[in-house]
Amino acid sequence: PTTAQPQVPTTTARPTTTLVTSTTSSSAGPVVTTPPVTPTPGTCPNTPSGLGSPVANQLNDPFTFHNGNKVTSKADWACRQKEISELLQRYELGTLPPKPSSMTASFSGSTLSISVSEGGKSISFTVSINNRPSGAGPHPAIINFGTLGASLPVPAGVATINFNNDDIAQQQGGSSRGRGKFYDLYGSSHSAGALTAWAWGVSRIVDALELTQAQTGIDPTRLGVTGCSRNGKGAIVAGALEPRIALTLPQESGAGGSGCWRIATWQKSNGQNVQDSTQIVQENVWFSPNFNSYVNNVNQLPFDHHLLAGLIAPRALYVMENVDMEWLGKISTYGCMGIARKQWQALGALDNFGYSQVGGNSHCSFPTSQQGSELNAFIDKFLLRKSGGNTNIFRSTQTHSSFNLNNWSPWAVPTLN
Ligand code: MCU
């Protein structure tokens, strides 16, 4: 099912910039992942206000609603994801606006132009679509945060869409709060931090790809998203907030991405030089100003980033981290994702989850040890839809023996049907 189509003009200026109003279904072969359940409006309980009881030295139970009820089915899981998304937006990320009331998209050369209007204001931005495979298609694509191209190797057969995320929301330190096209549209005091604003931008790219599929040859049902470091935080949040992303590929996202706040705090209390919640909100504007009230006591939060990742489950997620980067929170990402993985386990979808932590490479230079049997296996299976290798991956080249995954996740993992 698709959401309501944006309103677009019925006439076009030039044949190369045809605007279309409906999407066509993909002929790209069998779908590998089970599409996530979309809750019917009104079927989920309202998310209670308030933070609930603090959770210390463990991560919040994914399978218990904020009101204490248990998650016992896939339908419950969809409601729990809706609740987690609301809580993350309320206390950390800021509000993700709904689909804008009107938008247009056109494709010319390699440029996809996107215009969005809401409440009497309009913005436009462009993305470039590179390495479009020859042949009729439709072809899969990876949306890459940043204009320089992906910092991981994108194999033949997959296009790359370069997204200038800084154009949507700046990330040049505290003074860039509220700057960028997202804030031109929604106001400079909008609660969304840059990560949420970028996820909104990714959603508009997907909308535009749905509108221009006949022109671009890109299949909007076979999209990946990637970025490294700060842009890796962007990639995981985009995958979490946009359910049309088939494969989420955050690279060295560290704290604020695949790391958990509570585990980073614990690492820091053990004397490690790791980025934590108190530092990150001073460094940059990735999060909502609302988050500032909680950074000194993250145990209050009714979530951590294992639940951010769980918004992706059972869609495909492959997380790449670097053991040599203490600042990124190497135990934090290992523990956070090791516990996040239990959500895919509950859904019977462990083949859709990968976490791989290696070393020997400098920050954001992709190590070949993650390429053939890992990254390519994910891209083959979830974007190219070829039968690929093993994609049930959880590994680190370091033994994090000080951290006990099960002690930090003492709750039961149900089987959800
Ligand atoms: C890993 O992402 C960030 C990190 O959160 C920052 O503390 C550091 O300054 O920059 C990293 C990054 O984006 O490097 C390119």
Side-chain angles (χ1 to χ4, degrees):
T2 52
T3 51
Q5 290 301 317
Q7 298 155 15
V8 297
T10 50
T11 55
T12 57
R14 287 180 292 151
T16 50
T17 59
T18 308
L19 302 167
V20 284
T21 56
S22 62
T23 59
T24 52
S25 61
S26 161
S27 56
V31 176
V32 178
T33 44
T34 316
V37 181
T38 309
T40 316
T43 55
C44 296
N46 288 332
T47 308
S49 59
L51 291 158
S53 306
V55 173
N57 302 317
Q58 55 177 268
L59 300 184
N60 319 71
D61 180 354
F63 309 111
T64 300
F65 283 96
H66 202 44
N67 67 8
N69 289 348
K70 293 289 176 193
V71 172
T72 62
S73 65
K74 283 184 174 161
D76 282 352
W77 177 246
C79 286
R80 176 71 171 131
Q81 285 179 310
K82 185 171 169 284
E83 173 175 279
I84 290 165
S85 180
E86 281 173 22
L87 294 167
L88 274 159
Q89 289 178 55
R90 193 186 293 166
Y91 299 116
E92 179 184 315
L93 296 171
T95 306
L96 179 72
K99 191 168 184 165
S101 54
S102 134
M103 68 172 282
T104 61
S106 60
F107 184 63
S108 181
S110 61
T111 303
L112 179 62
S113 302
I114 302 165
S115 297
V116 181
S117 302
E118 186 72 287
K121 290 187 183 158
S122 300
I123 58 138
S124 298
F125 67 104
T126 62
V127 294
S128 64
I129 308 184
N130 304 110
N131 304 320
R132 279 196 298 151
S134 54
H139 303 287
I142 292 179
I143 299 170
N144 171 62
F145 275 63
T147 53
L148 299 177
S151 49
L152 49 71
V154 177
V158 182
T160 308
I161 300 176
N162 287 328
F163 169 43
N164 183 359
N165 51 307
D166 291 19
D167 181 42
I168 299 296
Q170 289 184 16
Q171 53 168 337
Q172 268 79 47
S175 64
S176 49
R177 171 72 70 196
R179 296 202 179 161
K181 288 175 178 171
F182 176 91
Y183 303 99
D184 295 343
L185 194 62
Y186 293 108
S188 59
S189 57
H190 193 279
S191 69
L195 298 175
T196 305
W198 300 336
W200 174 92
V202 167
S203 293
R204 303 296 72 80
I205 296 170
V206 182
D207 293 342
L209 291 168
E210 288 180 348
L211 291 167
T212 58
Q213 187 177 346
Q215 288 75 45
T216 63
I218 301 298
D219 181 351
T221 72
R222 288 186 296 155
L223 295 173
V225 67
T226 193
C228 190
S229 206
R230 58 195 62 205
N231 288 342
K233 307 182 207 307
I236 194 169
V237 170
L241 295 181
E242 175 43 74
R244 291 171 293 178
I245 295 296
L247 174 60
T248 303
L249 298 167
Q251 188 182 356
E252 298 192 44
S253 61
S258 70
C260 277
W261 302 121
R262 286 169 176 81
I263 307 176
T265 302
W266 173 80
Q267 280 190 267
K268 204 175 168 192
S269 72
N270 289 331
Q272 293 167 28
N273 179 29
V274 53
Q275 182 165 40
D276 72 347
S277 49
T278 61
Q279 191 280 341
I280 206 167
V281 297
Q282 296 185 40
E283 180 180 330
N284 223 313
V285 293
W286 297 309
F287 301 96
S288 172
N290 297 348
F291 189 42
N292 295 346
S293 308
Y294 307 100
V295 292
N296 291 310
N297 185 2
V298 292
N299 291 340
Q300 295 176 91
L301 294 169
F303 52 77
D304 213 315
H305 274 212
H306 65 309
L307 298 184
L308 173 77
L311 296 181
I312 299 169
R315 288 177 290 127
L317 171 66
Y318 172 58
V319 175
M320 294 145 273
E321 288 292 337
N322 188 335
V323 284
D324 298 328
M325 302 291 300
E326 181 163 293
W327 179 248
L328 303 191
K330 54 188 174 180
I331 302 179
S332 170
T333 69
Y334 167 83
C336 193
M337 292 299 105
I339 292 171
R341 183 172 182 266
K342 297 183 181 208
Q343 298 161 106
W344 278 260
Q345 182 191 334
L347 294 159
L350 280 174
D351 287 345
N352 299 3
F353 181 90
Y355 172 88
S356 174
Q357 188 180 44
V358 305
N361 56 294
S362 57
H363 184 45
C364 292
S365 63
F366 185 84
T368 50
S369 61
Q370 286 175 329
Q371 189 170 357
S373 59
E374 298 187 1
L375 176 65
N376 286 351
F378 271 90
I379 293 175
D380 281 349
K381 196 176 285 183
F382 298 103
L383 297 185
L384 291 164
R385 289 192 188 147
K386 298 193 286 201
S387 53
N390 173 45
T391 49
N392 177 351
I393 296 165
F394 183 67
R395 70 148 179 153
S396 172
T397 54
Q398 240 171 43
T399 313
H400 300 297
S401 49
S402 63
F403 184 87
N404 187 308
L405 279 173
N406 289 328
N407 288 352
W408 278 75
S409 52
W411 26 263
V413 180
T415 298
L416 303 175
N417 291 302

